Every structure is written in C-alpha cells, then in structure tokens.
C-alpha cells in the first residue's frame, strides 16, 4: 500500500491531478470517478492540465450517484461536468453517467450494462479515484449496508434507494485504486481504514486487481497515522 501525504488540500489536488494525467497518458483510459466534494478541485486541475489528445479513448464511469436528476445540485455527474467535462469539452459519448433520475434498480442495471459494453469480459477498469466518508464509507458503500454483501452485481441501489453505488465486485475489478482524502474530519476514518482489521470500515475491503490501493492524503487527513 502506498500512502502519500501532501501539505494541504491544494497540494493534494495538484498531486492527484498530475497522477490522473500521468495514468491517462500511460494508456489507462477506463476511469471510475469519485463524487462528493473532495475531488472537484482535482477534476478542475485535470481539465486545465490536459493536452490535446489526452482524452483519446478515455471513458469515464462513476463510483456512485445520488438518486437525483443530472442537473441536481447533489448529482456527482453534475459536479464532474462543471469541474472538468464541460470546460474541457470532453466527448459526452464517452461519459457513462448513472441515471439518477430513474428508478434506482433500473439505473443500477443500466449502469452495469453500460460499463460491461466498454470494459470487456471479464470487466476491467484501469483507474478509480475514490473518496472516504467520516464513517469510512467509500462510493455509497456505507457501514452496515446490504450493498456490502453484493458479490455479483457491479452496481446496486443503496440508502433505501437514495443512492446507486458501485459494489466491491466493481471496485475490485479496477487495476489501480487511489483514495483521495482531505481534512481533519477524515483522520479517524483514514486511521481505521489503514490500521484496523480489514472490514472495520467499508473502504478497507477495496482490493484492486492490480494490488493494494494508493492513499493520497493531506496532513490533516493523515494526522492519526503512525
Ligand atoms: C458521494 C461519494 C462519497 C464521497 C465521500 C466523501 O457520492 O458522496 O461517492 O463516497 O466520496 O462521502 O465525500 P466528501 O469528498 O464530500 O467529503
């Protein structure tokens, strides 16, 4: 497991954006993006740093979505569009959003079909950016959620239908997973994910195909690590 600690949120976002661009330029084109608020600035910096041709062949998928329309303030897709896709004029046909506006069960099935159509058989993605909640959730895999036990489907409804989330089968078919975590409020969740027995928090059960996850942290988020 690799842990990188950066001085502050700005330095963290810069490092994360440089990592994403490096990975894309190395040919890792099938991306799974985190929602929430932390990664927004990283996505802005990726958009600003990309060169013509960087997006060739890149497909964007989402780790989870809220059960809201795509223009809703809580939509992860809306956040990524505003931060990166629209300013960069990213080809919309290669952005595979989860349809938060329809029945969550149907949205989960369509998201899986969409992903399988691009990511091959067996399904493989190249890079995932994931966030971490203060309770140690990632995507919408919350502690105690039924979604944690899903062993076949790649996306399922969660939070009584208020979310659609990628499952461990999805996250574990990614070659490289990078957690991007900022702020003192996440320090205990980071400590638990890295130091407590696997499964103590949901994020600690993400086992990427290509080896242990990388953790990109700022000092505050890393403040409880040994
Ligand atoms: C979401 C994310 C979720 C997020 C964490 C951290 O839909 O909100 O998928 O897993 O990454 O909750 O969120 P913040 O970055 O807003 O702290």
């Amino acid at each position: 497991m690799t842990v990188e600690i950066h001085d502050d949120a700005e330095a963290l976002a810069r490092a994360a954006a440089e990592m994403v661009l490096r990975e894309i330029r190395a040919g890792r084109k099938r991306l799974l993006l985190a929602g929430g608020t932390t990664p927004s600035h990283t996505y802005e910096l990726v958009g600003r740093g990309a060169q013509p041709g960087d997006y060739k062949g890149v497909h964007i998928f989402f780790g989870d979505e809220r059960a809201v329309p795509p223009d809703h303030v809580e939509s992860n897709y809306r956040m990524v569009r505003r931060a990166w896709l629209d300013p960069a004029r990213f080809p919309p046909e290669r952005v595979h959003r989860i349809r938060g506006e329809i029945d969550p069960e149907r949205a989960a099935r369509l998201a899986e079909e969409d992903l399988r159509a691009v990511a091959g058989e067996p399904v493989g993605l190249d890079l995932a950016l994931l966030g971490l909640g203060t309770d140690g959730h990632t995507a919408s895999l919350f502690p105690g959620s039924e979604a944690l036990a899903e062993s076949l489907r790649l996306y399922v409804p969660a939070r009584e239908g208020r979310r659609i989330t990628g499952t461990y089968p999805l996250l574990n078919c990614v070659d490289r997973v990078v957690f991007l975590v900022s702020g003192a409020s996440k320090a205990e969740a980071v400590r638990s994910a890295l130091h407590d027995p696997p499964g103590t928090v949901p994020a600690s059960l993400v086992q990427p195909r290509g080896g242990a996850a990388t953790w990109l942290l700022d000092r505050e988020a890393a403040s409880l690590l040994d």
Side-chain angles (χ1 to χ4, degrees):
M1 176 187 313
T2 304
V3 178
E4 271 185 35
I5 301 174
H6 295 275
D7 282 343
D8 54 29
E10 178 64 30
L12 175 65
R14 272 203 306 275
E18 285 160 14
M19 181 277 298
V20 171
L21 287 168
R22 253 194 330 272
E23 292 286 293
I24 289 175
R25 289 167 186 158
R28 299 152 78 78
K29 305 278 188 182
R30 297 169 298 188
L31 313 181
L32 185 90
L33 298 183
T37 57
T38 302
S40 178
H41 188 36
T42 292
Y43 298 147
E44 283 169 4
L45 296 176
V46 171
R48 286 186 218 153
Q51 305 297 323
D54 278 345
Y55 298 145
K56 188 173 177 337
V58 173
H59 285 264
I60 287 179
F61 299 93
F62 290 78
D64 71 335
E65 188 52 279
R66 288 81 179 280
V68 295
D71 57 355
H72 189 285
V73 67
E74 287 186 16
S75 164
N76 286 335
Y77 165 75
R78 176 181 181 271
M79 179 271 288
V80 176
R81 258 195 76 171
R82 287 161 57 95
W84 176 10
L85 306 180
D86 286 355
R89 288 195 286 283
F90 190 98
E93 68 276 12
R94 285 196 262 113
V95 180
H96 307 274
R97 72 178 184 87
I98 301 167
R99 297 171 179 77
E101 70 277 19
I102 66 175
D103 164 64
E105 185 56 46
R106 184 155 174 271
R109 280 200 314 277
L110 290 173
E112 176 155 347
E113 283 171 23
D114 209 6
L115 189 141
R116 287 187 183 279
V118 172
E121 190 56 49
V123 169
L125 295 176
D126 298 309
L127 173 67
L129 268 187
L130 291 177
L132 183 73
T134 54
D135 59 0
H137 80 262
T138 191
S140 288
L141 294 169
F142 287 85
S145 157
E146 283 176 22
L148 299 175
E150 178 57 46
S151 60
L152 290 174
R153 295 177 63 185
L154 300 182
Y155 287 102
V156 293
R159 301 296 256 188
E160 294 79 48
R162 294 194 306 276
R163 301 273 185 113
I164 299 100
T165 187
T167 59
Y168 287 125
L170 172 63
L171 302 183
N172 294 347
C173 81
V174 182
D175 188 45
R176 182 172 187 204
V177 170
V178 178
F179 284 95
L180 183 60
V181 193
S182 170
S185 71
K186 305 291 178 73
E188 171 47 28
V190 169
R191 186 207 59 74
S192 179
L194 295 182
H195 291 325
D196 284 348
T200 303
V201 292
S204 62
L205 289 181
V206 174
Q207 295 156 345
R209 209 172 34 148
T214 296
W215 290 75
L216 296 187
L217 310 171
D218 62 16
R219 283 198 190 294
E220 287 189 350
S223 58
L224 296 180
L225 295 182
D226 297 340

